[in-house]
Amino acid sequence: MKHRIENPFPPSSRDCVVQVLSIGQWPDFSRYQDLLSLLPSDQQRRVTAYSRDHDRTRSLFGRLLLLSTVYHLYNIPYGACRIAFGMYGKPFLPDLPNFHFSLSHTESRVVFAFAASPLGVDVERLKAYDPRIAARFFTPEENREIARASNPIHRFYQIWTRKEAFIKATGEGMKRPLSSFDTLRDVRFLTFATEGYLVSLYTEEHLNPPKVQLIYDEDFINKLRTQERSLI
């Protein structure tokens, strides 16, 4: 059965939600094998294609955040939620044309953002960076901003995550050179820090301030398990 909702996004077309999932002490991926079974078979294959446990775990949680949100909003079971990919690999839901989402993960954080218009999100941990990356991928003005910043690490990752969020929103990926656009003045960017990580969001339309939800892995797993029978 196909599930298609022409005007689906509640409660307001200007709302935006950002979920930040914190993964605790890294477990063996085998601990999550029962959660893997909740995914449709094609999504299971994408998760298990990663060679490292950490990458498989982050991929699994990202997909579960997406599918559990769609189930919560539209009552579409996991197995009926179709995921397709654009020309440059941007994922979308063909049965929910007004539901736009973006995923990002690094180290122990997985971030999922969704709204009724195109958007992109990126997350990075605040740590030492290689200045050669800024010299290669940032505009001259962005490099000057880093040079005069009181906290150059924060400024570097603000610019980097904004660039990643932008190309995710447009769906261009690395086809669009990162040095070809500036991130400093566009008010459609939003950046915030959370527990040593920096998250940037880009929205193509001016939306309400995002609702940021901090989620911990054990709470999320317990929620999934209470709903498990109705998810398939």
Side-chain angles (χ1 to χ4, degrees):
M1 177 185 299
K2 288 188 177 182
H3 298 257
R4 185 172 181 84
I5 304 174
E6 294 298 336
N7 191 20
F9 195 82
S12 166
S13 62
R14 299 188 64 81
D15 282 346
C16 177
V17 177
V18 180
Q19 298 178 335
V20 182
L21 174 68
S22 173
I23 302 173
Q25 183 176 358
W26 281 109
D28 291 333
F29 182 72
S30 58
R31 182 186 178 207
Y32 296 135
Q33 290 298 314
D34 58 334
L35 297 179
L36 182 67
S37 66
L38 296 177
L39 299 181
S41 58
D42 62 324
Q43 293 300 307
Q44 291 186 35
R45 288 192 294 271
R46 288 181 177 273
V47 169
T48 56
Y50 289 99
S51 59
R52 299 192 307 169
D53 282 355
H54 291 186
D55 293 328
R56 289 196 292 267
T57 300
R58 287 186 287 248
S59 177
L60 171 62
F61 274 121
R63 285 167 168 78
L64 288 172
L65 284 169
L66 167 62
L67 296 179
S68 64
T69 297
V70 170
Y71 173 77
H72 174 72
L73 291 177
Y74 313 116
N75 201 33
I76 297 177
Y78 285 23
C81 183
R82 296 190 301 136
I83 302 175
F85 298 88
M87 182 182 300
Y88 301 111
K90 182 181 180 179
F92 67 95
L93 305 182
D95 297 325
L96 295 173
N98 294 329
F99 181 86
H100 298 266
F101 69 94
S102 181
L103 281 161
S104 179
H105 50 72
T106 186
E107 300 196 17
S108 63
R109 293 295 183 277
V110 179
V111 179
F112 171 61
F114 60 94
S117 59
L119 78 170
V121 73
D122 192 59
V123 59
E124 293 289 345
R125 186 168 71 86
L126 291 167
K127 57 186 177 182
Y129 68 93
D130 186 344
R132 292 174 296 182
I133 294 177
R136 179 180 177 185
F137 294 110
F138 294 176
T139 67
E141 179 58 27
E142 288 170 336
N143 276 284
R144 285 191 290 270
E145 277 289 313
I146 294 173
R148 58 180 173 244
S150 59
N151 187 339
I153 291 177
H154 187 281
R155 183 62 102 187
F156 170 85
Y157 283 107
Q158 178 195 50
I159 296 170
W160 180 260
T161 54
R162 286 183 172 194
K163 287 183 179 291
E164 289 284 333
F166 178 82
I167 62 176
K168 287 182 179 181
T170 62
E172 296 170 293
M174 295 306 293
K175 177 179 174 60
R176 175 75 174 266
L178 297 180
S179 60
S180 68
F181 61 95
D182 186 275
T183 66
L184 298 173
R185 309 288 179 251
D186 195 328
V187 297
R188 291 171 294 183
F189 286 108
L190 173 74
T191 301
F192 63 91
T194 172
E195 300 177 329
Y197 289 79
L198 210 62
V199 177
S200 283
L201 177 74
Y202 175 83
T203 59
E204 289 193 356
E205 297 182 10
H206 294 284
L207 303 178
N208 296 329
K211 301 172 183 178
V212 179
Q213 302 172 348
L214 302 179
I215 307 171
Y216 293 91
D217 54 355
E218 292 299 335
D219 295 333
F220 184 55
I221 291 170
N222 290 336
K223 175 184 175 181
L224 291 174
R225 284 175 174 157
T226 61
Q227 298 176 340
E228 184 169 350
R229 291 193 177 188
S230 57
L231 296 178
I232 305 301

